[in-house]
């Protein structure tokens, strides 16, 4: 359960703060690239699962169809696995070459509990594995590209992810090679 005013500050991914809630969603202001690189705005998280459902554009809710919208798919139980799929057009080499359709398959898995120490403190956390598999949907048929992996640690005490580690060579979008670095929680404040 998040409360209005709960805030988390990360060393590379920017802060996020709960700014509102209703019967179905939490409104969370974010910045610094929590979702896509250098993005900021307000995301609406489903209260029961903490899946990202919408992004606010002005006063309009726009369904979120990007990376990791289901990263915290509660309840988190040992061995639980879930998947997601989304599509988007991307530049293959450079903007002048035009965009091509890509499909991204995401797999999430709860690995177990670990003690993790970050700048904000030492926490017991649930370790999650994330695998993303891009596929180019070309004229000659689908071509699978190498998958990438990341690991996240979620702390019930902090009510959020406290650490993320990317494998070497992690690719999250064809045009975003090398765009992600490991990050961790620096500070947090939970309202009662």
């Amino acid at each position: 359960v998040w409360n209005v005013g709960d805030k988390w500050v990360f060393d590379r991914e920017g802060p996020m703060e709960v700014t509102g809630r209703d019967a179905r969603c939490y409104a969370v202001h974010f910045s610094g690239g929590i979702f896509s690189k250098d993005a900021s705005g307000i995301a609406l998280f489903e209260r029961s699962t903490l899946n990202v459902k919408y992004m606010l554009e002005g006063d309009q809710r726009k369904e979120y169809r990007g990376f990791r919208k289901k990263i915290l798919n509660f309840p988190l139980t040992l061995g639980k696995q879930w998947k997601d799929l989304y599509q988007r057009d991307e530049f293959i080499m450079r903007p002048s070459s035009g965009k091509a359709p890509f499909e991204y398959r995401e797999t999430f898995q709860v690995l177990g509990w670990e003690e993790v120490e970050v700048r904000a403190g030492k926490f017991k956390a649930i370790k999650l594995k994330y695998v993303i598999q891009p596929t180019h949907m070309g004229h000659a048929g689908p071509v699978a590209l190498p998958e990438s992996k990341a690991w996240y640690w979620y702390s019930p005490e902090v009510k959020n992810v406290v650490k993320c580690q990317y494998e070497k060579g992690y690719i999250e979008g064809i045009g975003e090679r090398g765009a992600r670095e490991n990050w961790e929680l620096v500070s947090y404040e939970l309202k009662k």
Side-chain angles (χ1 to χ4, degrees):
V1 176
W2 287 347
N3 295 300
V4 173
D6 287 354
K7 183 176 183 177
W8 303 268
V9 178
F10 304 96
D11 63 347
R12 286 198 171 80
E13 296 296 317
M16 61 187 289
E17 181 176 355
V18 179
T19 57
R21 70 180 192 179
D22 61 23
R24 294 181 21 211
C25 292
Y26 296 107
V28 178
H29 183 267
F30 68 93
S31 62
I34 291 172
F35 297 102
S36 57
K37 188 178 180 201
D38 300 325
S40 63
I42 295 180
L44 299 179
F45 289 73
E46 186 176 60
R47 286 182 68 168
S48 62
T49 62
L50 286 188
N51 289 175
V52 182
K53 299 300 281 182
Y54 306 99
M55 292 290 178
L56 286 185
E57 292 184 5
D59 291 338
Q60 300 295 314
R61 290 181 177 200
K62 183 176 178 186
E63 186 176 351
Y64 179 64
R65 297 177 183 258
F67 300 106
R68 295 181 308 275
K69 70 181 175 192
K70 292 185 176 182
I71 190 166
L72 294 175
N73 194 27
F74 282 95
L76 299 175
T77 56
L78 185 61
K80 179 179 177 180
Q81 291 186 6
W82 60 100
K83 296 180 183 212
D84 200 17
L85 172 72
Y86 67 95
Q87 297 177 335
R88 73 180 191 181
D89 291 339
E90 299 214 34
F91 294 111
I92 296 176
M93 309 221 9
R94 58 192 175 281
S96 62
S97 65
K99 289 188 172 186
F102 282 82
E103 183 175 273
Y104 292 88
R105 294 183 187 278
E106 297 176 303
T107 304
F108 305 86
Q109 181 181 9
V110 178
L111 299 177
W113 288 91
E114 288 187 1
E115 289 281 333
V116 62
E117 189 166 354
V118 296
R119 289 176 27 200
K122 190 173 186 178
F123 305 100
K124 187 171 182 181
I126 298 170
K127 186 177 183 180
L128 304 164
K129 179 180 177 182
Y130 170 68
V131 179
I132 185 168
Q133 173 75 60
T135 301
H136 176 243
M137 308 305 286
H139 298 296
V143 177
L145 301 172
E147 68 182 23
S148 290
K149 297 180 184 93
W151 294 267
Y152 295 88
W153 286 263
Y154 172 84
S155 166
E157 178 183 344
V158 172
K159 299 183 182 182
N160 209 330
V161 174
V162 295
K163 180 179 176 180
C164 174
Q165 180 180 339
Y166 297 100
E167 76 174 348
K168 186 177 180 181
Y170 179 87
I171 297 171
E172 184 168 89
I174 301 309
E176 297 181 13
R177 293 181 188 272
R180 295 291 183 167
E181 295 183 46
N182 298 341
W183 53 266
E184 65 182 50
L185 184 70
V186 173
S187 65
Y188 69 101
E189 181 180 343
L190 301 178
K191 302 293 182 182
K192 302 250 184 222

